[in-house]
Amino acid sequence: MIRRPPRSTPKPSSAASDVYKRQVRNFSGQGAPGASQISIPRRNQFSAADKSENTDLSNQEMTFASDVLAFDKHKAIRATIEDIAKIQSNVDVVAEVVREQAAELALQVDKDILTQLKLCSASTPDHKIPWNDTSNDDLELADITMARKLLRDQSLMFDNDDYFMVISPAKERELLSISEVISAEKYGDRTLYKGEVGKILGFRILVSNLLGAKESLFYHRNHAAYASQAEPKFEKQRKPESLGDQYVVSMLYGCKVLDSGKRGVFVSDAHE
């Protein structure tokens, strides 16, 4: 029996795709042919000093380090569509399959970036923290202010829109009960990210079903980096033995947490 595709219906997983790579540093295009990685430089922070009379200022040296982003994720999705399915279906089967392949590949990119976003610093002060309410693991204003403090201690000043708070759908009700939340409906003409529901204390709030029910992330855009070395590639090949065509979409990319995870905070019941 040959199963024919039904009329198009959106898949739940596709709705979450292509979110995180828009909120981290994107170095796509910097990976030259033949390179297997790129180095992302970072420098130390200067600090002001007091000047006493007849005393020279102490010299400060600028030092550089780098984070290495490897192009180590070569992902692909393959599907075979038999001729009879294309002939007897009442939808454009090829278009539907290619669309879903692209959506699932974007979703995989998000999953890989999310893995890096969770790699927050465990050095003192620990950026992997439990919920303030350790009894019920409810999201409270105290969790948000603690995350903000930890990021400000890293000289992140909340002076632009590059700060994000990501919660699971299970935490949305608790979040909306906090009076300090500004609904996204009140933003005016500002472009919203997929899943963006509001803003609080300088964080743009997004809801993602890729997070665990009792997880939340707070981070600056420079917390992680993403780069594609080869844009999505679509290929078609005839498969006579199946009386059909094979469609493959593939992509080569990498992602990396930056600065030892000091620009992000991961709140979870697993940290209690």
Side-chain angles (χ1 to χ4, degrees), residues 158-175:
F158 288 82
D159 52 359
N160 54 40
D161 281 339
D162 288 340
Y163 298 83
F164 301 94
M165 171 184 178
V166 185
I167 61 173
S168 67
K171 290 294 179 187
E172 188 171 4
R173 178 186 59 81
E174 298 164 14
L175 172 78

Side-chain angles (χ1 to χ4, degrees), residues 125-171:
D126 198 345
H127 284 215
K128 295 182 177 180
I129 60 176
W131 297 101
N132 184 65
D133 176 11
T134 55
S135 298
N136 302 310
D137 296 323
D138 286 343
L139 172 62
E140 299 177 342
L141 183 62
D143 298 305
I144 303 170
T145 56
M146 175 55 74
R148 181 181 168 93
K149 179 185 182 303
L150 287 169
L151 294 182
R152 285 183 68 89
D153 288 345
Q154 299 299 319
S155 300
L156 299 172
M157 303 312 295
F158 288 82
D159 52 359
N160 54 40
D161 281 339
D162 288 340
Y163 298 83
F164 301 94
M165 171 184 178
V166 185
I167 61 173
S168 67
K171 290 294 179 187

Side-chain angles (χ1 to χ4, degrees), residues 80-95:
T80 299
I81 306 175
E82 295 183 357
D83 294 340
I84 191 170
K86 289 188 285 187
I87 294 170
Q88 297 184 356
S89 176
N90 54 4
V91 298
D92 186 341
V93 179
V94 174

Side-chain angles (χ1 to χ4, degrees), residues 7-248:
R7 287 190 176 274
S8 175
T9 54
K11 293 180 64 177
S13 59
S14 300
S17 65
D18 200 24
V19 176
Y20 293 105
K21 80 175 185 180
R22 300 178 186 275
Q23 299 151 19
V24 299
R25 295 188 67 185
N26 193 328
F27 291 90
S28 296
Q30 295 194 23
S36 61
Q37 62 187 37
I38 57 174
S39 294
I40 303 170
R42 50 184 167 85
R43 59 174 175 79
N44 65 322
Q45 186 78 27
F46 283 148
S47 59
D50 292 327
K51 172 65 171 70
S52 300
E53 187 175 358
N54 300 320
T55 303
D56 292 337
L57 287 169
S58 59
N59 185 51
Q60 297 186 47
E61 296 181 351
M62 179 176 286
T63 60
F64 284 86
S66 63
D67 293 297
V68 176
L69 186 156
F71 294 110
D72 56 358
K73 300 188 182 303
H74 200 185
K75 306 285 186 176
I77 300 175
R78 183 179 67 180
T80 299
I81 306 175
E82 295 183 357
D83 294 340
I84 191 170
K86 289 188 285 187
I87 294 170
Q88 297 184 356
S89 176
N90 54 4
V91 298
D92 186 341
V93 179
V94 174
E96 289 295 306
V97 168
V98 171
R99 185 180 301 112
E100 286 301 326
Q101 284 178 310
E104 290 302 320
L105 192 57
L107 181 61
Q108 182 60 52
V109 171
D110 268 359
K111 290 178 179 178
D112 290 330
I113 294 176
L114 179 61
T115 297
Q116 295 298 309
L117 289 173
K118 288 183 177 183
L119 297 179
C120 298
S121 173
S123 301
T124 304
D126 198 345
H127 284 215
K128 295 182 177 180
I129 60 176
W131 297 101
N132 184 65
D133 176 11
T134 55
S135 298
N136 302 310
D137 296 323
D138 286 343
L139 172 62
E140 299 177 342
L141 183 62
D143 298 305
I144 303 170
T145 56
M146 175 55 74
R148 181 181 168 93
K149 179 185 182 303
L150 287 169
L151 294 182
R152 285 183 68 89
D153 288 345
Q154 299 299 319
S155 300
L156 299 172
M157 303 312 295
F158 288 82
D159 52 359
N160 54 40
D161 281 339
D162 288 340
Y163 298 83
F164 301 94
M165 171 184 178
V166 185
I167 61 173
S168 67
K171 290 294 179 187
E172 188 171 4
R173 178 186 59 81
E174 298 164 14
L175 172 78
L176 296 178
S177 68
I178 299 175
S179 60
E180 286 80 1
V181 172
I182 302 173
S183 172
E185 297 175 354
K186 300 178 181 179
Y187 285 0
D189 296 331
R190 192 172 75 175
T191 302
L192 300 180
Y193 287 99
K194 186 183 295 184
E196 186 171 358
V197 297
K199 190 172 184 179
I200 184 169
L201 300 182
F203 291 106
R204 298 181 72 165
I205 308 164
L206 300 104
V207 179
S208 170
N209 60 10
L210 297 184
L211 276 181
K214 294 185 178 182
E215 295 179 341
S216 186
L217 275 168
F218 301 81
Y219 60 94
H220 183 269
R221 186 182 302 276
N222 289 344
H223 177 44
Y226 159 86
S228 62
Q229 190 172 31
E231 290 301 316
K233 181 180 181 181
F234 295 90
E235 299 175 88
K236 173 185 175 183
Q237 181 178 350
R238 183 64 181 171
K239 289 196 66 179
E241 67 275 19
S242 300
L243 295 179
D245 296 313
Q246 185 177 88
Y247 297 84
V248 179

